[in-house]
Amino acid sequence: MVMAVSFERYGRLYYLDPGPHRPRVGDKVLVPTDDGPEVAECVWAPQYVTEDIGGLPLCAGVATPADLERDEHNRDRRAEARLIAKRLIREHGLPMKVVGIDFVDRRPDVDQLVIVYFSAPHRVDFRELVRDLARGLRARIELRQVGARDEARLQGGIGPCGRDLCCATFLKDFEPVSVRMAKDQDLPLNPLKISGACGRLMCCLKYEHPLYQEFNAKAPSVGTPVETPAGDGVVVGHNVPSDTVVVRLAASGRRCACSRADVCSPRQQYEASSTTTPDAPVSLPTPTARSAEQEPARERIAEQERTQEPEQQTTPDPAAEQTTQEPAAGESAPRRRKPRRRRRLSDSSTDTGPTTAGPDDNTGDGS
């Protein structure tokens, strides 16, 4: 559980772990500090949160009447110390401005301690002022100079947005802010419009800067020709909070606000492709199932080839036997291969030999 308290009305919020206590809104509770427990007002009642938050200080309980009396006495001493400090600063003529006063009475090393926070344009020699303050307040004095932002946080105030200052309510640390952040957000570089109550750049310039960086990295820049559902046009502006792009149409010249996804070229190329669809997943065949189905068929083909090879080697070819026989006279062997062609030439030479007439061929009478 988490609860929130504040030491000053409309001041900065501090979060605590309520522990076994269940105070209500407006109750006075004890908050542990470096100088001992102090009285604060409960602003948020204890409530459960979804996230696990660790490291919060534990509430010391509900303030007793003695604690409330002591807190009222310390408030009177702080108001008295502020008046005396301002009067002595005017008497010494020092360029100092009192910002805040702290009164500590529970520190073990000192009985009473008054801490004066002030702002000044430069370093100030306040040694004589410290002696006079110690004599007038009858306590130990510490003077601490603060900057412009710390001054605004201690004093509080209203920002240009009409709300309480961020540094006086929830900001813990001051992060660096640059003019580049204002340029990225298309804000006017007028110091009066981008400066806060402290006179420095507003801390809220850093809140939305990452959003603008992401938008500018993905959206088309000003002057880029784009295609929109309403027709072709040119980008003339951006609207980062609504994630839209202002386009001036080429046909009519009017301006229209289109979503960043409608004018983004990678999105258009993806939707224009006919092979993929955003909703239907692409189903690819699994190589393991295909190989398992084809494995028996491959084995059968290999077995048939192994059984056919011996048969081809042992079985005589009848066509080859016919070609080896000598052809009859006047017949020519068919032309198939070179060895067979050589046989045809040898056969023809044997056939033409007996055709030549010899002296013994005519055995008839000589008369």
Side-chain angles (χ1 to χ4, degrees):
M1 300 183 68
V2 178
M3 61 177 295
V5 298
S6 177
F7 292 98
E8 300 290 342
R9 185 174 294 274
Y10 308 113
R12 184 177 180 179
L13 299 181
Y14 296 88
Y15 298 95
L16 304 176
D17 183 1
H21 308 286
R22 297 294 181 270
R24 298 180 179 180
V25 176
D27 293 346
K28 303 294 184 178
V29 296
L30 295 177
V31 180
T33 62
D34 296 337
D35 300 325
E38 296 291 341
V39 179
E41 182 180 357
C42 179
V43 179
W44 290 355
Q47 56 185 352
Y48 290 95
V49 294
T50 57
E51 300 179 358
D52 186 11
I53 303 176
L56 295 178
L58 184 63
C59 179
V62 181
T64 61
D67 295 329
L68 297 178
E69 182 179 358
R70 168 184 163 275
D71 181 67
E72 189 66 24
H73 178 262
N74 290 343
R75 289 179 183 274
D76 295 340
R77 291 297 305 270
R78 285 197 293 269
E80 179 185 1
R82 181 184 289 270
L83 293 177
I84 294 176
K86 289 183 177 180
R87 178 175 57 82
L88 293 177
I89 288 174
R90 287 194 301 268
E91 292 178 359
H92 289 276
L94 298 176
M96 300 170 57
K97 177 182 177 181
V98 179
V99 177
I101 301 290
D102 275 349
F103 184 78
V104 181
D105 60 348
R106 287 187 174 181
R107 183 175 291 186
D109 54 348
V110 294
D111 294 336
Q112 294 182 354
L113 174 64
V114 178
I115 303 175
V116 180
Y117 299 94
F118 70 95
S119 61
H122 50 79
R123 293 182 60 87
V124 180
D125 185 7
F126 47 76
R127 288 175 293 182
E128 296 182 1
L129 176 63
V130 172
R131 288 194 292 266
D132 294 342
L133 285 174
R135 189 181 305 109
L137 296 175
R138 298 177 182 179
R140 180 179 175 180
I141 305 298
E142 286 188 8
L143 273 72
R144 299 180 181 178
Q145 185 174 358
V146 298
R149 290 191 172 184
D150 291 323
E151 178 183 357
R153 179 174 62 180
L154 293 174
Q155 289 185 337
I158 304 298
C161 59
R163 299 176 61 91
D164 294 336
L165 296 180
C166 300
C167 56
T169 53
F170 62 89
L171 281 184
K172 294 183 178 180
D173 300 323
F174 292 109
E175 297 183 1
V177 183
S178 62
V179 182
R180 182 66 183 179
M181 297 181 182
K183 292 181 179 179
D184 294 342
Q185 301 178 37
D186 296 333
L187 295 177
L189 301 182
N190 187 355
L192 298 177
K193 294 185 178 181
I194 60 177
S195 299
C198 59
R200 305 292 192 270
L201 292 175
M202 294 186 295
C203 298
C204 56
L205 293 177
K206 192 176 181 62
Y207 298 165
E208 298 180 357
H209 185 243
L211 180 63
Y212 279 83
Q213 285 183 322
E214 180 183 0
F215 184 90
N216 294 332
K218 297 181 179 180
S221 58
V222 176
T224 304
V226 295
E227 297 179 0
T228 65
D232 298 343
V234 180
V235 177
V236 295
H238 297 152
N239 192 350
V240 179
S242 62
D243 197 18
T244 56
V245 177
V246 181
V247 180
R248 184 176 65 246
L249 300 179
S252 59
R254 66 182 183 87
R255 297 188 177 187
C256 64
C258 302
S259 176
R260 183 181 61 176
D262 294 339
V263 299
C264 185
S265 58
R267 174 67 177 271
Q268 293 177 353
Q269 295 175 3
Y270 178 76
E271 293 180 350
S273 61
S274 58
T275 57
T276 59
T277 57
D279 299 331
V282 179
S283 60
L284 297 176
T286 56
T288 57
R290 184 174 64 250
S291 60
E293 294 176 358
Q294 294 181 357
E295 190 65 25
R298 293 178 180 176
E299 294 180 357
R300 289 195 299 269
I301 294 173
E303 291 179 359
Q304 293 177 3
E305 291 179 354
R306 287 194 296 270
T307 55
Q308 290 177 2
E309 287 178 358
E311 295 177 357
Q312 292 178 0
Q313 294 177 0
T314 57
T315 304
D317 191 1
E321 294 179 355
Q322 294 178 2
T323 55
T324 55
Q325 298 177 359
E326 295 181 359
E331 295 181 359
S332 61
R335 294 183 180 180
R336 291 184 178 180
R337 296 179 180 178
K338 291 183 179 180
R340 294 172 185 173
R341 185 179 298 175
R342 287 196 294 270
R343 289 196 193 102
R344 184 177 60 82
L345 295 174
S346 62
D347 294 344
S348 61
S349 62
T350 57
D351 293 340
T352 54
T355 54
T356 56
D360 297 332
D361 288 343
N362 298 327
T363 56
D365 296 337
S367 54

